[in-house]
């Protein structure tokens, strides 16, 4: 039962009890009053009756005394009684006037009294007249006696009837009182029952109330705990969280945003709370967001989106956000909650990975093709050079041969470039300090770029040593300079800077395949036309060029890229359209002392007579071409088709000044073992390898093994002459 109903019942009960009590009190008072009135009345009637009787007696006594003594003094009583009797009779009559039966009795009584009075009057009159005889006769007559008896009887009757009346009234009053007592008891019982019931209900209600309070407290504690958890989550989440209230049907008001979000947006939460989205953001952005919010509400389900957000304090970011509708107790969506995760780093890393995988794939393909191509070119070139002696004195033949050689050289150059991109060009890295190289290049660059372009070289003091192939560094700088020239058709300035640089972890994370550490940086900057982001994204791809046919090959930057990567370096391009471009090459620092670089541009000395070269090559055509070349250069040759045969020759004790061997050969003996055995038997005899392909047999992570020398196929006769001459003259120092 509800508390209100209990209260209502209690009030009703109280009213009932109060009403009954008032009623009882009134009736009680009335009953008592009427009982007392009746009692007074009876007493008055009896008194009045008695007085009347007393007056009649006095009348009688006075008459008797007078008649007997003849003394008129006795008549005093007679006169007094005669005077008071009418009043007394009237009084008694009045008292019983309301009761007809009694009134009749009283009337009879008064009649009797008056009869007696007239008799007495007659006796007294006789006595006063002196006729005491008559007076005595009348007085003792039977009538007189009867009259008096009548009066007494009638007076008794009145008294008796009055008493009877009183009795019956008393009984009636007592009955009423009994009834009232019963009623009072009943009321008390009802009140008591009501009270007991009320108390029981109250106790029950109280118990229920206690229980309700306890459960409310438990619920509140649970709510508090939950709310503390939510708050902690909200405040500590690295994801950006926002709560939007939906107001007036379609207005989206920021209810709250967490500290992470506020920090990213560089706003104070209290400044955005309570403000509608369209008041916080530019109209276009707000319209887009509101359309999205409507979709979320309409769908009633969370929606995930990914978008690039411009205009943030720290530059554009990629956000993955989930927006979810929140329903109120009536099931109506009245709030939206959004969780945003910044996935920029992940997306960028994926992009970098994709890029590097693409470059890797292109590299594999390019490297494979170039390798096969090189072997073919070696055969072509070798044979063409052999033909030279045969067409001596034949100008037309010589021209053809020259053209053919030119073509072969171009093809060789192309394959070399492709190998360079594929990070498979044979490199001869050494510890060098590039400061001299860069300053020495200034002249060459000025000559190459022409008058319209101002060339400046800046070399930082205390430049660290680096480990790289200096010839390739030179070629890379030249390539970049040529690109700069093409980008500045109307002139401009080219700056080549070289300086120490450190790439830290933070940088390494933003760039592709970078190992943090110390580097020597070469920056080539021009004031040219620059490039768009689309162009910049593809410049390292082989054959990617924006230049017209015949002007660009699209291999320049590919080569530089391949070389830098193969040297464990890093390359980065900064460019702005219409402003210029900077290409930065980072080459790893070396803590070792610089090795002296030999200048190879001088003509090689002619071989001494009898100097013998052991040529090891499995392919007959290639071997014969090589032997032919050596022959022309003035060397004696020994030939072997494989390592086994070659070792036999070495063992046989023939004169051998240098071993010239192919890297990849069939047979049981591996190239490295072969080299070791030769070195063991003939210490100091240099070994020059040749290969169309830089194989793991001699090249490890892009570097040649110590004491191993390599000349790449296809090689020109002059190159071969230089390398052989140098190795024989100075076996350990030559590159
Ligand atoms: P190529 O020079 O044969 O076109 P590269 O690989 O050297 O090939 O360069 C590829 C492309 O990169 C060029 O065609 C040009 O669009 C762009 N590029 C390279 N260097 C620059 C530069 N310094 N300024 C503007 N664009 C450049
Ligand atoms: Mg170029």
């Amino acid at each position: 039962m509800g508390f209100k109903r209990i209260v209502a019942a209690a009030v009703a009960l109280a009213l009932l009890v109060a009403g009954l009590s008032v009623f009882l009190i009134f009736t009680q008072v009335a009953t008592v009053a009427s009982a007392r009135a009746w009692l007074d009345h009876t007493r008055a009637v009896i008194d009045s009756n008695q007085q009347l009787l007393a007056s009649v007696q006095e009348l009688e006594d006075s008459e008797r005394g007078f008649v007997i003594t003849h003394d008129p003094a006795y008549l005093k009583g007679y006169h007094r009684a005669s005077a008071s009797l009418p009043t007394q009779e009237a009084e008694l009559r009045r008292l019983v006037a309301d009761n007809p039966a009694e009134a009749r009795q009283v009337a009879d009584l008064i009649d009797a009294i008056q009869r007696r009075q007239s008799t007495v009057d007659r006796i007294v009159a006789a006595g006063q007249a002196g006729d005491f005889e008559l007076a005595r006769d009348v007085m003792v007559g039977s009538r007189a006696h009867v009259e008096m008896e009548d009066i007494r009887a009638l007076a008794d009757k009145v008294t008796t009837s009055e008493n009877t009346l009183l009795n019956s009234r008393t009984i009636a009053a007592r009955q009423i009182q009994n009834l009232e007592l019963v009623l009072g008891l009943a009321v008390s019982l009802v009140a008591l029952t009501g009270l007991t019931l009320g108390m029981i209900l109250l106790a029950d209600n109280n118990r229920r109330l206690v229980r309700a309070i306890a459960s409310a407290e438990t619920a509140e504690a649970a709510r508090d705990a939950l709310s503390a958890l939510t708050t902690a989550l909200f405040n500590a989440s690295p994801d950006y969280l926002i709560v939007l209230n939906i107001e007036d049907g379609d207005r989206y008001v920021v209810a709250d945003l967490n500290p992470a979000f506020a920090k990213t947006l560089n706003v104070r939460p209290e400044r955005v709370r309570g403000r509608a989205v369209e008041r916080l953001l530019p109209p276009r952005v707000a319209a887009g967001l509101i359309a999205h919010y409507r979709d979320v509400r309409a769908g009633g389900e969370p929606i995930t989106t990914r978008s690039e957000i411009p205009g943030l304090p720290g530059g554009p970011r990629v956000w993955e956000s989930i927006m979810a509708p929140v329903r109120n107790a009536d099931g109506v969506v009245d709030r939206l909650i959004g969780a945003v995760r910044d996935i920029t780093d992940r997306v960028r890393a994926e992009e970098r990975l994709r890029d590097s995988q693409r470059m890797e794939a292109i590299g594999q393909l390019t490297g494979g093709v170039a390798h096969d191509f090189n072997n073919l070119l070696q055969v072509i070139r070798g044979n063409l050079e052999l033909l030279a002696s045969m067409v001596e004195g034949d100008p037309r033949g010589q021209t053809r041969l020259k053209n053919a050689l030119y073509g072969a050289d171009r093809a060789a150059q192309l394959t070399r470039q492709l190998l360079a991109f594929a990070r498979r060009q044979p490199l001869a890295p050494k510890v060098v300090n590039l400061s001299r190289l860069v300053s020495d290049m200034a002249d060459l660059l000025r000559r190459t770029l022409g008058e319209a372009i101002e060339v400046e070289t800046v070399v930082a003091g205390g430049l660290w040593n680096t480990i790289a192939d200096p010839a390739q560094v030179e070629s890379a700088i030249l390539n970049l300079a040529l690109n700069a020239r093409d980008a500045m058709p109307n002139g401009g300035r080219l700056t080549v800077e070289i300086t120490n640089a450190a790439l830290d972890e933070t940088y390494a994370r933003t760039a592709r395949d970078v190992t943090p550490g110390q580097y020597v940086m070469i920056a080539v900057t021009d004031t040219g036309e620059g490039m768009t982001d689309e162009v910049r994204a593809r410049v390292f791809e082989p054959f990617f060029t924006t230049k017209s046919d015949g002007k660009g090959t699209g291999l320049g930057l590919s080569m530089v890229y391949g070389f830098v990567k193969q040297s464990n370096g890093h390359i980065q391009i900064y460019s702005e359209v219409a402003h210029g471009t900077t290409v930065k090459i980072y080459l790893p620092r070396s803590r070792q002392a610089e090795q002296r670089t030999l200048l190879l541009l001088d003509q090689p000395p002619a071989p001494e007579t009898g100097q013998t070269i052991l040529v090891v090559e499995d392919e007959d055509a290639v071997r014969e071409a090589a032997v032919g070349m050596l022959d022309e250069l003035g060397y004696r040759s020994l030939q072997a088709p494989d390592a086994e045969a070659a070792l036999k020759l070495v063992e046989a004790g023939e004169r051998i000044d240098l071993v010239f061997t192919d890297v990849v050969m069939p047979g049981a003996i591996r190239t490295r073992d072969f080299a070791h055995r030769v070195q063991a038997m003939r210490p100091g005899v240099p070994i020059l390898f040749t290969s169309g392909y830089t194989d793991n047999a001699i090249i490890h992570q892009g570097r040649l093994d110590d004491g191993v020398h390599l000349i790449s196929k296809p090689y020109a006769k002059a190159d071969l002459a230089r390398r052989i001459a140098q190795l024989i003259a100075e076996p350990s120092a030559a590159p």
Side-chain angles (χ1 to χ4, degrees):
M1 193 185 279
F3 187 71
K4 278 184 185 166
R5 284 163 70 187
I6 291 176
V7 169
V11 168
L13 200 70
L15 283 177
L16 182 71
V17 170
L20 278 170
S21 304
V22 169
F23 171 73
L24 280 177
I25 289 165
F26 269 106
T27 51
Q28 187 69 32
V29 168
T31 313
V32 169
S34 83
R36 175 155 309 134
W38 284 122
L39 207 65
D40 288 349
H41 182 264
T42 304
R43 193 175 299 128
V45 169
I46 289 170
D47 280 358
S48 179
N49 197 24
Q50 222 76 61
Q51 275 166 22
L52 204 59
L53 212 58
S55 293
V56 172
Q57 196 60 53
E58 195 175 21
L59 199 75
E60 181 94 3
D61 289 350
S62 162
E63 164 236 34
R64 222 167 255 269
F66 177 61
V67 170
I68 292 166
T69 64
H70 301 194
D71 184 356
Y74 277 99
L75 286 181
K76 249 202 261 162
Y78 164 76
H79 291 302
R80 198 170 43 238
S82 297
S84 55
L85 266 173
T87 328
Q88 287 173 334
E89 284 165 4
E91 173 67 8
L92 188 60
R93 235 191 223 110
R94 189 187 58 79
L95 282 172
V96 299
D98 57 339
N99 189 329
E102 242 189 340
R104 232 175 296 121
Q105 282 176 351
V106 166
D108 289 351
L109 176 64
I110 289 169
D111 280 353
I113 290 171
Q114 283 174 354
R115 263 195 313 276
R116 179 68 197 148
Q117 209 179 348
S118 63
T119 308
V120 171
D121 284 348
R122 252 190 307 134
I123 292 167
V124 170
Q128 280 175 329
D131 187 358
F132 279 101
E133 212 57 38
L134 179 66
R136 190 182 295 124
D137 283 351
V138 176
M139 192 181 73
V140 293
S142 59
R143 258 189 69 200
H145 189 71
V146 171
E147 275 172 9
M148 205 50 204
E149 285 294 303
D150 273 357
I151 287 171
R152 279 208 182 84
L154 282 169
D156 272 358
K157 233 178 175 176
V158 169
T159 304
T160 310
S161 93
E162 186 58 38
N163 271 330
T164 313
L165 210 64
L166 182 65
N167 265 350
S168 74
R169 277 184 187 136
T170 310
I171 288 166
R174 196 158 297 144
Q175 270 172 350
I176 289 175
Q177 268 178 335
N178 283 348
L179 205 73
E180 281 170 353
L181 191 70
V182 169
L183 203 68
L185 274 173
V187 168
S188 307
L189 206 71
V190 168
L192 214 71
T193 314
L195 220 71
T196 313
L197 218 78
M199 269 165 72
I200 289 171
L201 282 176
L202 220 69
D204 183 52
N205 227 51
N206 202 44
R207 220 178 19 248
R208 249 184 267 189
L209 210 68
V210 167
R211 262 209 303 273
I213 289 172
S215 81
E217 275 169 359
T218 317
E220 199 171 330
R223 235 186 349 259
D224 282 354
L226 193 68
S227 137
L229 204 69
T230 320
T231 310
L233 256 174
F234 194 74
N235 286 335
S237 167
D239 285 353
Y240 312 146
L241 303 177
I242 188 164
V243 182
L244 296 163
N245 283 342
I246 303 174
E247 290 178 5
D248 313 331
D250 197 35
R251 239 162 57 85
Y252 301 87
V253 175
V254 177
D256 206 355
L257 77 174
N258 74 340
F261 210 165
K263 191 167 162 231
T264 309
L265 299 175
N266 198 18
V267 295
R268 287 215 305 276
E270 58 272 21
R271 287 188 60 88
V272 292
R273 270 188 217 124
R275 296 181 67 187
V277 168
E278 64 267 26
R279 301 183 141 265
L280 291 169
L281 296 168
R284 209 168 43 81
V285 182
L289 280 176
I290 288 171
H292 178 52
Y293 298 157
R294 286 184 186 137
D295 287 349
V296 174
R297 281 178 74 188
E301 295 281 326
I303 297 183
T304 308
T305 48
R306 177 192 274 212
S307 42
E308 177 121 5
I309 308 292
L312 288 174
R317 308 291 293 173
V318 185
W319 282 3
E320 191 172 74
S321 42
I322 179 159
M323 199 76 196
V326 183
R327 291 189 161 77
N328 64 13
D330 303 329
V332 176
V333 175
D334 68 344
R335 276 182 300 170
L336 298 175
I337 176 155
V340 178
R341 186 163 292 180
D342 191 318
I343 54 164
T344 315
D345 290 349
R346 197 180 83 206
V347 170
R348 300 277 187 266
E350 283 167 3
E351 278 169 6
R352 283 201 299 276
L353 185 68
R354 245 196 329 274
D355 277 357
S356 68
Q357 280 170 343
R358 202 177 91 245
M359 292 301 266
E360 197 58 42
I362 301 174
Q364 291 278 346
L365 185 72
T366 315
V369 172
H371 168 239
D372 288 349
F373 212 58
N374 252 354
N375 272 339
L376 298 174
L377 280 173
Q378 187 55 45
V379 176
I380 295 169
R381 207 178 192 293
N383 283 297
L384 286 177
E385 289 203 347
L386 286 179
L387 274 178
S389 54
M390 297 183 195
V391 293
E392 247 168 67
D394 175 1
R396 276 177 62 208
Q398 275 177 336
T399 315
R400 295 253 159 85
L401 196 65
K402 220 176 98 198
N403 288 346
L405 269 171
Y406 176 74
D409 280 346
R410 285 296 308 274
Q413 193 193 343
L414 187 71
T415 43
R416 248 201 317 279
Q417 286 171 331
L418 290 177
L419 277 174
F421 166 71
R423 304 180 210 174
R424 283 170 187 175
Q425 74 177 321
L427 290 181
K430 51 171 38 112
V431 178
V432 280
N433 195 297
L434 293 175
S435 49
R436 194 158 44 85
L437 182 141
V438 169
S439 45
D440 285 356
M441 277 191 82
D443 262 353
L444 173 72
L445 293 176
R446 271 185 207 106
R447 260 184 280 120
T448 319
L449 302 190
E451 306 248 300
I453 293 171
E454 204 185 310
V455 176
E456 198 183 346
T457 53
V458 183
V459 178
L463 194 74
W464 292 328
N465 287 346
T466 183
I467 179 151
D469 184 333
Q472 293 304 321
V473 174
E474 209 170 54
S475 137
I477 295 175
L478 197 64
N479 254 308
L480 298 179
L482 291 175
N483 279 345
R485 179 199 62 193
D486 293 345
M488 298 186 287
N490 304 316
R493 194 169 66 241
L494 176 87
T495 315
V496 183
E497 265 176 281
I498 183 157
T499 170
N500 297 337
L503 295 181
D504 60 13
E505 297 280 353
T506 325
Y507 179 81
R509 246 180 287 129
T510 64
R512 206 196 288 170
D513 322 324
V514 180
T515 320
Q518 293 184 317
Y519 291 85
V520 169
M521 180 196 74
I522 305 160
V524 179
T525 305
D526 64 56
T527 55
E529 59 208 14
M531 45 186 135
T532 61
D533 286 349
E534 291 74 46
V535 169
R536 205 190 49 181
R538 298 192 56 196
V539 285
F540 295 137
E541 285 175 24
F543 304 113
F544 175 81
T545 177
T546 58
K547 294 166 194 172
S548 54
D549 263 1
K551 276 213 82 182
T553 59
L555 285 170
L557 286 178
S558 314
M559 276 167 63
V560 175
Y561 173 83
F563 156 66
V564 172
K565 288 285 157 196
Q566 197 177 343
S567 308
N568 297 327
H570 168 59
I571 182 166
Q572 181 74 49
I573 296 183
Y574 302 89
S575 186
E576 261 181 74
V577 175
H579 286 282
T581 303
T582 298
V583 183
K584 292 183 175 178
I585 293 174
Y586 295 85
L587 295 169
R589 175 186 184 178
S590 167
R591 291 179 181 277
Q592 287 173 327
E594 188 182 11
Q595 296 168 339
R596 216 177 68 76
T597 314
L598 284 181
L599 289 174
L600 301 176
L601 297 169
D602 314 317
Q603 274 297 316
E608 295 164 22
T609 38
Q611 277 186 335
T612 311
I613 313 286
L614 170 57
V615 180
V616 193
E617 165 69 65
D618 58 322
E619 260 184 68
D620 291 345
V622 178
R623 192 177 63 243
E624 272 158 29
V627 168
M629 246 186 231
L630 291 170
D631 206 28
E632 288 189 358
L633 289 172
Y635 291 101
R636 208 170 69 85
S637 316
L638 293 173
Q639 296 186 40
D642 53 39
E644 230 164 297
L647 284 172
K648 278 203 185 101
L649 289 173
V650 177
E651 266 168 346
E654 293 258 6
R655 170 178 179 163
I656 296 173
D657 296 279
L658 181 141
V659 178
F660 181 45
T661 174
D662 193 20
V663 172
V664 192
M665 276 186 304
I669 303 171
R670 289 186 23 235
T671 315
R672 276 182 130 190
D673 296 338
F674 170 66
H676 288 150
R677 283 162 75 169
V678 170
Q679 277 169 342
M681 284 189 278
R682 300 281 180 96
V685 170
I687 303 171
L688 176 63
F689 284 100
T690 181
S691 173
Y693 192 68
T694 60
D695 199 281
N696 282 340
I698 43 167
I699 295 190
H700 295 281
Q701 293 154 350
R703 318 273 177 86
L704 293 176
D705 282 357
D706 270 351
V708 170
H709 309 282
L710 181 82
I711 183 163
S712 301
K713 287 180 192 171
Y715 42 82
K717 195 166 81 180
D719 285 338
L720 185 63
R722 230 181 349 255
R723 293 300 295 274
I724 291 175
Q726 224 172 9
L727 283 170
I728 292 176
E730 201 181 347
S732 59

